Amino acid sequence: MAGKTFMDPHDVPTIPGTEGWEKLYPYQYQFSKDDPERAAFESSQIWYYDGLHYPEPHFPFDLIWDEAWSLALSQYNTRHFIIPPAMGIDHRIVNGYVYITPVGIADPEVIGKRIPLFMERAGYYYQNWDRLYENWKKKVTALIAELEAVNFTDLPEIEDISVITEGKGVGSGYTLLKKYDDVINMGLLNWQYHFEFLNLGYAAYVTFINTCNQIFPGVPISTLTKMVAGIDVVMYRPDAELIRLAKLALDTGLDELVLKPLKSGDLMNELARVPAGKEWLAELEKSRYPWFHISTGTGWYHHHISWNDNLDIPFDAIRMRINSIKEGKEVERPTEKIIKERDRIVDEYRKLIKTDDDREAFDQVLGVARTVFPYVEDHLFYIEHWFHSIFWGKIRQVGQMLQNAGFIENANEDIWFLKRDEIKQALWDYTTAWATGVKPRGPSYWPKEIAKRKGIYEKFKEWTPPPALGVPPDVVTEPFTIVLWGVTTDVLSEWLKGEGAEGDQNILKGSPGSSGKVEGRARVLKNVEELADLLEGEILVATTTSPSWAPAFVKIAGAITDVGGPMCHAAIVCREYGLPTVVGTGKGTRLIKTGDLIRIDGDSGIVEILERVNK
Amino acid sequence: MADKTERFTLWYEETDGKDFPLVGKKNANLGEMIKAGIRTSPGFSVTIAANEKFIIDTGIKEKLGKYLEGLGEATYETTKKASAYAISLIESAALPAEIEDDILANYRKLCEFSRTNNVPVAVRSSGAISMPGQMETYLNIRGDKDLIEYVKKCWASAYNVEAIMYRANKGVGFLFNIGVGIPKMVNSRVSGIIFTLNTLNGDPSKISLDVSYGLGEAVVSGLVTPDSFLVDKVTLDTVKTTIGSKETQCVYREGGSDIVQADVPKEQREKLCVSLDEVKELCRLGKVIEDYYGKHYDIEFGIDADLVFPESVIILQVRPESIWNKKEVTARTEKKKDPMERILSQLLTGVKLK
């Protein structure tokens, strides 16, 4: 990509009407020229828009997970496992959108010194993977239980008598402030756990991909991912639970009742009136904890509510399943078939290898890729879905308190426009005023500030973040950058091409997510609530998908996402269902309209718009 | 149905290599290829038993026997006479009705299957012992009358002077019944070449495929730039596709077995000449052939316009690939102690962005 660069990050203009937007985020997240050395670093790096995690502009509170992973990923690369040539990933925000850059090490001497440390430390994890991973699950589920136990309620008019009789010597105000800190710290700890294995998992995966490419030049990534597919992972469990409940409804003759288009509350009342219905509801409860702690999005935004937050979502999915079963369709994930196919592919490839050395290399990298695969899949459920779903609920409780105290007008909407430290500040205001018996300042301060921030936020939405800023590098060594975001030569040059007018573009390029080719009508869905519009045989076009989208995959003929690499959710699920998929197109949802006739090629990563729908 | 050894005709798929005493070697080998999963042009054999019944029922066997007794010493001159006598007897005799009915019933099935009236077939001699090039093969035979005529000509060709002399040298007798093969002439809509590896770098996990319109001649002799495909051998997914210019094609001359060149219309040139299903089927057959013979193969094929997919995909010729099969293979990866060393080396190399 000789010579071609993106816009300098310092030159991005502020959107009119958003002046002062920097206040919404921590100061270190700004591109700035006040330190020449830091400014030079910023100008020399490639900064790519992290649309994979942030397809929308950032809410000040929700930035917590960005800060959390910025810390956790980087520390594991740099300070724990000492990835020899790769430090962390640095973060900035421009006009509400997060840009990230991998930080490399150029000095061979420094890299050399890091090698023995890496071999010892990472080696220990790879060798003890299963035991450490079992231990990990215990740590994470204990943390979730601890979070579940915290509840936020309004401060009492007077303290309970037990505070006196038991000589507790601690007040509710202090406890509230501490609880808030505790919940925030649990969130950050959760993200420490998140990266305990993931960097190593991705390093193994990259090695697998590239070693296979040496032996079989140009072997498609979609073929390689088939070699590790079919291992039973918990990410499929929520979907399996829906199928279980659908089948149970059919077996017990409850299907007609469940199919009634009722709201979940009404339906559950009706079910509770009949004995079979009661038993079914008991089974539903078993599924709900933990399997319905599934976010309707990626789990990264507060508005990605979970199935448990709105039972209408899983009930609709159960109805779809019942209908599919009645139509005689195969609803279950064809695990056996996938495993058989995986074994066939591995076996045939192995037989094609002509030297013992290559065969040994293949066996080594396949073995380690399979070792890491379950974690790479499963951590999403524990961290981003289960933990996050509960976490957002707890912060909503804090929002309710602040609304009750007049600090904010709408508990569900307003709290997210405060940075987490500002919430702490507001809670101080609230508790000290409560303790003192005076009126707090918050109610006259925050609503105005929040209104202003909402205005800025709306303006952010109108802006299209460029896919990258700065200067593309020659070599990327950071495992995440390669696997998760799918940043490759092709992808970067495609992004550079997209820098001009794109309205007439009829060909989009992304990463091959799942092999095969298909033509069909597009259905562009912005969020999982729109899933009901999806018709049989359509091609799903979405920013990104998550397990909540599961019901979609039994209906569609293929899928396209704006963001994601070969390991993203849509790619994994489509491989399991054998649907052609192109991921990381960057702009599919912008360029494609519902009803357009499109062709996707999951082998080359090309999407063609064949015929535009009449508008 | 009668015992296989007593039948007058046998479809290729009813026979295999062991059946050469019934239908001759060429026919039996075709049956064997089908058994291995290699799809060849559809057709059937007229059995050696049919030939035997023909010469008995028509009295030819008896007449020839008497004629030979009275001929005296076998010289080139006497052999020539005997040859002419045998050929005239065979060509002028009528086939026993049951044999003729059987052949024509099969021919009609072949016409039906090919969705073509009077489908052109080849009529090929097939002896139970190898006699390379001694007997006749006739191409582009159409219709009941011609077919029966040429079956007789084929039988008669076993009495060519060269064939009789060849047999005499091998100690085989004068009287000699042969099988006849009747495959459909391949009417290639497209044709091309399969290599069961990536011809550019020898990668055995790929299949290279070149295809263009018309008969194979255009691709084989390099008259056109064909469409080319690189396919993953294990999953049969297409990895790379290049549309060729395909300006010209070779087709059969109307009413003859000659071939002529014809222009390919512009819109035909700009699109791929085969469907993805056809590509998959070709590669599947390529794999079957490679597995059957145990090495990389170079395969000529045609896709028949008269037949329905997948029966339309037909293998015309196979031979071992000549370059990479002979090359010494060296490891493509570096030797490493364990996966850890491999991961380290990968991290140090990184992924280059050119």
Side-chain angles (χ1 to χ4, degrees):
Chain A
M1 43 194 16
K4 264 206 126 178
T5 63
F6 297 95
M7 191 196 299
D8 185 278
H10 302 100
D11 295 343
V12 181
T14 295
I15 308 160
T18 66
E19 290 78 11
W21 65 267
E22 293 85 353
K23 209 175 153 187
L24 274 66
Y25 310 108
Y27 70 87
Q28 74 274 19
Y29 266 78
Q30 291 159 31
F31 286 110
S32 143
K33 286 186 170 171
D34 51 33
D35 171 358
E37 196 188 322
R38 187 170 159 102
F41 162 76
E42 289 172 344
S43 292
S44 69
Q45 290 289 113
I46 176 81
W47 297 90
Y48 54 96
Y49 164 44
D50 185 9
L52 173 66
H53 297 117
Y54 313 123
E56 300 166 50
H58 240 295
F59 292 90
F61 180 82
D62 299 26
L63 194 71
I64 182 171
W65 300 144
D66 191 77
E67 292 188 77
W69 82 256
S70 162
L71 170 64
L73 180 150
S74 301
Q75 105 205 348
Y76 279 105
N77 268 9
T78 311
R79 317 286 167 194
H80 289 230
F81 295 123
I82 327 291
I83 306 284
M87 305 275 270
I89 293 183
D90 203 5
H91 294 225
R92 299 286 185 276
I93 285 188
V94 182
N95 295 336
Y97 294 87
V98 172
Y99 283 77
I100 54 181
T101 190
V103 180
I105 298 175
D107 186 345
E109 209 174 305
V110 178
I111 294 174
K113 282 187 184 149
R114 290 167 69 93
I115 289 174
L117 294 166
F118 172 77
M119 295 302 272
E120 181 191 358
R121 292 161 178 235
Y124 188 83
Y125 259 72
Y126 287 121
Q127 278 153 25
N128 297 282
W129 192 274
D130 292 342
R131 175 176 65 80
L132 292 170
Y133 181 29
E134 279 310 308
N135 187 41
W136 182 92
K137 286 184 202 162
K138 283 187 203 133
K139 287 187 300 198
V140 171
T141 46
L143 181 64
I144 290 169
E146 193 185 341
L147 176 70
E148 191 74 276
V150 180
N151 279 298
F152 292 97
T153 50
D154 296 347
L155 292 172
E157 183 61 30
I158 55 168
E159 295 285 3
D160 191 78
I161 187 67
S162 62
V163 174
I164 306 299
T165 54
E166 289 168 23
K168 282 189 182 158
V170 175
S172 303
Y174 167 81
T175 310
L176 169 62
L177 293 168
K178 180 178 183 302
K179 266 197 297 195
Y180 178 74
D181 284 343
D182 288 346
V183 166
I184 295 297
N185 284 330
M186 284 182 223
L188 299 176
L189 177 55
N190 181 53
W191 274 86
Q192 294 284 299
Y193 293 154
H194 180 288
F195 281 98
E196 187 182 339
F197 292 85
L198 202 57
N199 303 35
L200 300 183
Y202 281 178
Y205 217 75
V206 172
T207 308
F208 168 60
I209 291 170
N210 286 327
T211 304
C212 289
N213 258 294
Q214 283 172 351
I215 304 172
F216 305 111
V219 56
I221 286 187
S222 53
T223 301
L224 296 180
T225 49
K226 279 180 192 152
M227 294 188 192
V228 295
I231 296 166
D232 207 19
V233 290
V234 304
M235 277 312 282
Y236 296 110
R237 189 63 190 275
D239 192 35
E241 291 296 318
L242 296 178
I243 294 165
R244 182 180 80 88
L245 290 167
K247 281 188 168 167
L248 188 63
L250 280 161
D251 291 348
T252 54
L254 290 167
D255 49 311
E256 289 306 318
L257 182 52
V258 175
L259 282 174
K260 278 192 187 173
L262 295 172
K263 285 276 161 202
S264 57
D266 297 334
L267 178 60
M268 288 165 85
N269 286 338
E270 288 218 14
L271 282 165
R273 282 198 214 116
V274 290
K278 265 189 207 149
E279 278 169 40
W280 191 85
L281 286 172
E283 291 302 315
L284 172 75
E285 289 305 303
K286 279 187 210 160
S287 297
R288 284 184 68 179
Y289 302 101
W291 305 112
F292 284 15
H293 286 302
I294 270 287
S295 169
T296 51
T298 53
W300 286 73
Y301 286 87
H302 68 266
H303 54 78
H304 292 171
I305 57 162
S306 77
W307 292 359
N308 271 330
D309 295 329
N310 180 1
L311 283 174
D312 288 341
I313 296 164
F315 268 114
D316 281 345
I318 290 168
R319 288 188 189 108
M320 269 196 224
R321 294 286 193 253
I322 291 176
N323 286 327
S324 297
I325 296 168
K326 281 185 159 180
E327 287 164 24
K329 276 191 211 146
E330 187 56 56
V331 290
E332 258 155 307
R333 210 165 68 87
T335 317
E336 249 175 64
K337 219 173 97 189
I338 292 160
I339 291 174
K340 231 171 124 185
E341 178 67 355
R342 174 196 71 194
D343 293 346
R344 179 189 74 85
I345 289 173
V346 168
D347 193 47
E348 285 198 25
Y349 266 98
R350 224 180 156 276
K351 280 188 193 142
L352 291 171
I353 301 174
K354 306 225 160 162
T355 69
D356 290 343
D357 283 357
D358 285 346
R359 208 167 295 117
E360 186 184 89
F362 178 75
D363 290 345
Q364 282 180 350
V365 293
L366 177 65
V368 73
R370 282 184 171 177
T371 303
V372 304
F373 182 77
Y375 178 81
V376 170
E377 291 304 287
D378 289 351
H379 81 277
L380 287 170
F381 178 73
Y382 289 97
I383 306 287
E384 274 114 319
H385 292 275
W386 190 359
F387 184 96
H388 278 196
S389 294
I390 296 169
F391 181 86
W392 297 123
K394 299 301 173 190
I395 303 300
R396 269 184 229 118
Q397 290 179 351
V398 176
Q400 192 56 53
M401 279 179 60
L402 289 175
Q403 183 190 316
N404 295 346
F407 277 60
I408 58 176
E409 285 163 0
N410 183 326
N412 279 330
E413 282 183 15
D414 295 357
I415 188 147
W416 318 109
F417 288 92
L418 272 56
K419 288 182 271 195
R420 66 172 192 275
D421 295 344
E422 291 173 332
I423 294 175
K424 179 72 186 294
Q425 242 180 305
L427 290 174
W428 266 103
D429 185 9
Y430 170 50
T431 51
T432 50
W434 165 83
T436 316
V438 300
K439 192 167 189 293
R441 188 184 172 204
S444 60
Y445 179 83
W446 285 117
K448 268 187 284 177
E449 180 62 24
I450 288 168
K452 203 165 89 194
R453 292 182 183 187
K454 280 183 173 171
I456 291 173
Y457 187 84
E458 285 308 308
K459 285 256 167 14
F460 283 162
K461 277 193 187 166
E462 294 164 15
W463 190 64
T464 302
L469 300 168
V471 183
D474 294 330
V475 179
V476 172
T477 52
E478 206 293 308
F480 284 87
T481 315
I482 301 161
V483 179
L484 194 54
W485 285 277
V487 174
T488 63
T489 317
D490 286 351
V491 168
L492 281 176
S493 54
E494 208 49 40
W495 285 357
L496 277 167
K497 247 189 262 164
E499 288 268 81
E502 58 178 30
D504 294 331
Q505 255 180 269
N506 284 323
I507 293 182
L508 288 83
K509 199 164 184 326
S511 306
S514 169
S515 68
K517 296 175 183 66
V518 70
E519 270 179 31
R521 296 283 167 189
R523 173 69 58 180
V524 183
L525 297 183
K526 296 282 188 208
N527 58 56
V528 74
E529 278 84 27
E530 296 173 358
L531 216 57
D533 301 334
L534 186 70
L535 303 178
E536 190 86 35
E538 288 184 323
I539 296 175
L540 173 68
V541 183
T543 309
T544 180
T545 68
S546 74
S548 271
W549 295 71
F553 294 96
V554 293
K555 273 188 147 182
I556 59 176
I560 303 167
T561 67
D562 290 354
V563 290
M567 291 296 280
C568 79
H569 176 265
I572 292 165
V573 178
C574 285
R575 285 193 296 271
E576 300 285 338
Y577 282 96
L579 301 167
T581 310
V582 176
V583 295
T585 60
K587 49 208 165 186
T589 59
R590 284 211 302 281
L591 292 184
I592 299 168
K593 300 275 173 278
T594 292
D596 286 352
L597 183 66
I598 58 176
R599 178 192 295 142
I600 65 178
D601 180 342
D603 300 312
S604 65
I606 290 173
V607 177
E608 277 176 88
I609 303 171
L610 302 172
E611 180 190 305
R612 294 278 184 182
V613 70
N614 293 326
K615 276 177 231 138
Chain B
M1 187 159 284
D3 184 283
K4 206 161 146 182
T5 57
E6 292 166 12
R7 302 244 313 262
F8 303 134
T9 61
L10 284 166
W11 291 91
Y12 286 142
E13 54 266 35
E14 294 178 289
T15 54
D16 59 33
K18 290 193 305 292
D19 290 324
F20 68 91
L22 302 184
V23 292
K25 281 202 157 171
K26 200 182 279 171
N27 288 333
N29 280 340
L30 277 165
E32 184 68 22
M33 275 171 79
I34 292 169
K35 198 178 159 199
I38 304 166
R39 192 182 300 107
T40 60
S41 192
F44 58 95
S45 308
V46 178
T47 60
I48 294 172
N51 195 350
E52 174 73 8
K53 183 176 171 61
F54 166 71
I55 58 167
I56 291 172
D57 285 14
T58 52
I60 292 173
K61 189 173 187 179
E62 208 188 326
K63 283 183 201 161
L64 271 177
K66 282 190 183 144
Y67 180 83
L68 288 172
E69 274 172 29
L71 199 62
E73 201 185 340
T75 63
Y76 179 73
E77 276 308 308
T78 55
T79 305
K80 214 173 140 187
K81 271 192 195 162
S83 163
Y85 181 64
I87 289 171
S88 74
L89 279 179
I90 293 169
E91 290 187 353
S92 61
L95 251 64
E98 42 194 322
I99 297 177
E100 182 167 323
D101 290 350
D102 201 359
I103 292 173
L104 294 180
N106 280 7
Y107 180 62
R108 271 188 282 279
K109 274 187 204 160
L110 207 52
C111 288
E112 230 168 82
F113 187 60
S114 314
R115 301 174 303 164
T116 309
N117 289 329
N118 295 334
V119 68
V121 291
V123 177
R124 316 175 71 182
S125 57
S126 173
I129 54 168
S130 296
M131 294 185 287
Q134 305 297 321
M135 302 178 299
E136 294 295 334
T137 280
Y138 305 95
L139 298 176
N140 245 358
I141 308 302
R142 300 165 199 248
D144 291 2
K145 195 166 157 274
D146 280 7
L147 178 58
I148 297 302
E149 188 90 353
Y150 279 93
V151 168
K152 283 193 289 178
K153 275 185 189 293
C154 208
W155 278 337
S157 75
Y159 297 96
N160 286 335
V161 178
E162 296 82 1
I164 297 168
M165 299 294 281
Y166 183 92
R167 284 204 297 277
N169 285 336
K170 299 258 166 190
V172 181
F174 182 89
L175 273 174
F176 191 72
N177 293 318
I178 60 168
V180 178
I182 305 181
K184 175 189 180 313
M185 294 294 292
V186 177
N187 179 19
S188 296
R189 174 179 63 79
V190 297
S191 55
I193 307 167
I194 303 167
F195 281 91
T196 63
L197 44 60
N198 183 343
T199 47
L200 297 178
N201 58 18
D203 175 5
S205 74
K206 305 289 187 304
I207 294 173
S208 311
L209 190 62
D210 281 351
V211 203
S212 198
Y213 291 110
L215 300 168
E217 192 57 22
V219 178
V220 176
S221 59
L223 281 175
V224 291
T225 308
D227 293 336
S228 70
F229 302 84
L230 194 62
V231 178
D232 182 316
K233 191 186 280 174
V234 177
T235 63
L236 299 185
D237 293 333
T238 306
V239 180
K240 201 177 161 203
T241 307
T242 314
I243 296 188
S245 49
K246 313 184 285 285
E247 292 93 341
T248 187
Q249 59 183 328
C250 295
V251 291
Y252 284 119
R253 185 190 294 280
E254 203 59 42
S257 57
D258 254 13
I259 50 178
V260 288
Q261 276 189 48
D263 286 346
V264 177
K266 187 166 177 289
E267 57 170 61
Q268 297 277 85
R269 273 188 245 156
E270 286 167 355
K271 62 179 188 189
L272 292 174
C273 64
V274 274
S275 73
L276 289 168
D277 284 343
E278 288 169 333
V279 168
K280 262 198 181 153
E281 178 62 12
L282 284 165
C283 292
R284 192 188 66 76
L285 287 170
K287 270 177 86 167
V288 167
I289 293 165
E290 180 173 280
D291 287 350
Y292 191 74
Y293 295 104
K295 49 173 101 162
H296 299 305
Y297 254 65
D298 166 351
I299 300 155
E300 281 179 38
F301 66 89
I303 298 183
D304 196 309
D306 307 328
L307 302 176
V308 179
F309 180 81
E311 277 76 26
S312 55
V313 180
I314 287 169
I315 301 306
L316 301 173
Q317 193 173 319
V318 299
R319 59 181 161 253
E321 189 277 339
S322 57
I323 300 167
W324 295 97
N325 274 332
K326 289 175 192 148
K327 277 205 179 155
E328 199 195 336
V329 184
T330 51
R332 293 169 185 255
T333 54
E334 280 174 58
K335 189 129 181 93
K336 299 280 181 215
K337 188 169 96 253
D338 55 22
M340 248 332 265
E341 266 195 5
R342 238 171 249 291
I343 291 168
L344 172 68
S345 140
Q346 177 60 53
L347 288 168
L348 292 174
T349 315
V351 171
K352 286 203 168 49
L353 303 177
K354 280 166 279 174

